[in-house]
Amino acid sequence: MASPISTIPFSPTTTMSKEQTHHADAPSASASAASGVFLRLLPVTLAVFVSFFTIGMQMSVLPLHLHETLGMGTLVVGLVVGSQFAAALLSRAWAGNFADMRGARRAVLTGHLFAACSGATYLASLAFVATPATSVWILLLGRILLALGESLVATGALGWSISLVGPQNAGKAMVWVGIAIFGAYALGAPVGAAVDSQWGFAGVAVALIFVPLLAMAVASGARAVPPTATRRTPFYRVLGSVWMPGMGLALCSVGFGLFTAFIALLFSARHWGGASLAFSAFGLAYICARIFFGHLPDKLGGARVALVSVAIEMAGQWLIWGADGALTAHWGAALTGFGYSLAFPGFGVEAVRRAPPQARSLAMGAYVAFLDIALGVTSPLAGALAGAEGIGAVYLAGAIAAALSLVVALVLLVTPTSQKTLRA
């Protein structure tokens, strides 16, 4: 009796055909996997988009309201705008542990409630416009409430997204959450300006009450993930594992903070018209970078991608500093957005690789805390610099900060992730 093996004819043609079929199917499998990641992240991404639309609406409106309606100087504008980031920094540990212990979806829903309360506070501040100092203090309270909401939404959404798609897709998760955030900024800024021109700051405040409630409805329908921790993790433990990528994020975020806080005042001071198109240029460039190149941090390594990205951001800040017209400033805004877009997931992938998996939301909170530090410190210091040297000078400072971030990316590139760090 012939062996079963001998009855199977060997054919080079048949072998090559199978290999060719395998290679032909590989791109299809890759595309299917990418599509699966996107679909799992879509509900969270939509909720984040609607939530951060409220922040985008006030980006080009609040500084002008403080400066022109309430008569505040650039230092006060910087303090009020920066207070949100300072308050968010102080709340990151609480928000991260909340998400890890009670569930990321619950954290996101609670954050939307805080954001709606901030809109109500903005509305209440208008009753005291005749006494500008009181109105500013109420606005400051609104910024703090917004910070608590943003902290819960951002920290919860990042931990939620990574749990849905796995740490091997951490870069993609950050990419899509970031697209939602800055897409909301890009669309929210001109919408906020249009609402302000039609109904004034009161119209913006009313919108800030109801838009977060819409975001709650979106988030409530998304699939929850179980809590990853049963007890509170000390913040300092996680902070120690992500401090180097966080430092890179902090330095490259200076340019972003300067852009959001002072670009409207720069356009006004130089009589270039409204700055809403600059916000749109930043946001659209940011989104394009993430759509077309967002897979690179997972594929090539976070440090390598961050290195190139911060160099592009540095060029954008340099262009804004030297701009002699609105068009050049728009190009600078676009380069700043494009570079900063991939710097965040670039450094973020390095942070995830160093963080303990059972405290992933807290680790993301610790990582984003460096962003808060940068923005909280940058706005008031830049306000003082603008008062002394002119508004344009702050963007030279932004270019210098981006150059220092480039140095951090180089250090990460030549410093491998230790197993001891991963087990911390």
Side-chain angles (χ1 to χ4, degrees):
M1 180 182 293
S3 168
I5 297 177
S6 65
T7 63
I8 302 174
F10 173 78
S11 168
T13 303
T14 303
T15 304
M16 290 300 296
S17 175
K18 291 179 180 178
E19 291 177 356
Q20 289 168 357
T21 302
H22 171 76
H23 288 300
D25 289 343
S28 176
S30 177
S32 177
S35 176
V37 168
F38 172 75
L39 290 176
R40 275 177 280 170
L41 292 174
L42 183 58
V44 181
T45 301
L46 287 174
V48 171
F49 174 84
V50 179
S51 176
F52 276 81
F53 191 83
T54 61
I55 300 177
M57 287 186 68
Q58 58 190 282
M59 285 171 64
S60 62
V61 172
L62 181 61
L64 293 177
H65 175 70
L66 286 163
H67 185 63
E68 297 178 357
T69 304
L70 300 179
M72 298 295 117
T74 56
L75 178 58
V76 174
V77 172
L79 285 170
V80 173
V81 172
S83 65
Q84 176 193 339
F85 308 115
L89 167 64
L90 296 176
S91 65
R92 291 298 181 193
W94 163 72
N97 275 303
F98 186 105
D100 285 328
M101 296 175 64
R102 301 188 184 184
R105 185 173 69 173
R106 180 179 293 184
V108 171
L109 292 173
T110 305
H112 292 144
L113 284 177
F114 276 105
C117 290
S118 76
T121 307
Y122 280 14
L123 189 61
S125 74
L126 292 174
F128 300 92
V129 171
T131 53
T134 303
S135 187
V136 168
W137 280 108
I138 297 173
L139 284 171
L140 191 63
L141 174 61
R143 295 292 286 178
I144 292 171
L145 290 171
L146 182 64
L148 296 175
E150 183 273 334
S151 187
L152 283 167
V153 171
T155 301
L158 285 169
W160 192 2
S161 298
I162 294 172
S163 294
L164 286 172
V165 300
Q168 72 277 10
N169 292 306
K172 296 182 183 69
M174 293 182 202
V175 161
W176 284 107
V177 170
I179 286 175
I181 291 173
F182 288 95
Y185 288 164
L187 293 177
V191 169
V195 171
D196 183 61
S197 65
Q198 184 70 30
W199 293 287
F201 192 71
V204 175
V206 170
L208 298 183
I209 296 173
F210 289 103
V211 172
L213 300 180
L214 175 61
M216 282 189 69
V218 176
S220 63
R223 180 170 72 88
V225 294
T228 58
T230 57
R231 62 179 182 176
R232 183 180 178 277
T233 303
F235 191 61
Y236 69 86
R237 285 189 59 198
V238 176
L239 191 65
S241 65
V242 302
W243 76 269
M244 179 65 78
M247 185 63 66
L249 173 66
L251 289 167
C252 73
S253 296
V254 169
F256 167 61
L258 295 174
F259 180 81
T260 58
F262 294 101
I263 196 67
L265 297 181
L266 177 70
F267 271 66
S268 177
R270 297 188 177 177
H271 308 290
W272 290 342
S276 59
L277 286 179
F279 283 108
S280 296
F282 178 98
L284 290 173
Y286 183 103
I287 292 170
C288 287
R290 291 209 165 184
I291 289 175
F292 293 109
F293 304 105
H295 62 287
L296 293 182
D298 289 326
K299 183 178 181 180
L300 302 180
R304 186 174 287 108
V305 173
L307 181 67
V308 176
S309 299
V310 294
I312 295 172
E313 181 190 353
M314 181 174 62
Q317 292 286 287
W318 191 273
L319 269 183
I320 297 175
W321 171 62
D324 56 1
L327 181 61
T328 304
H330 288 149
W331 277 109
L335 286 176
T336 298
F338 192 96
Y340 185 65
S341 174
L342 296 181
F344 187 97
F347 287 119
V349 165
E350 297 297 328
V352 169
R353 290 175 178 172
R354 290 163 169 77
Q358 72 277 9
R360 190 161 287 135
S361 291
L362 183 60
M364 288 295 94
Y367 174 63
V368 177
F370 285 91
L371 168 63
D372 300 325
I373 293 172
L375 300 181
V377 171
T378 294
S379 294
L381 289 180
L385 176 63
E389 301 293 336
I391 293 177
V394 302
Y395 294 102
L396 176 60
I400 294 171
L404 294 174
S405 180
L406 189 148
V407 174
V408 175
L410 278 172
V411 172
L412 288 170
L413 188 61
V414 300
T415 306
T417 305
S418 68
Q419 293 302 310
K420 180 179 179 182
T421 301
L422 292 172
R423 292 193 298 266

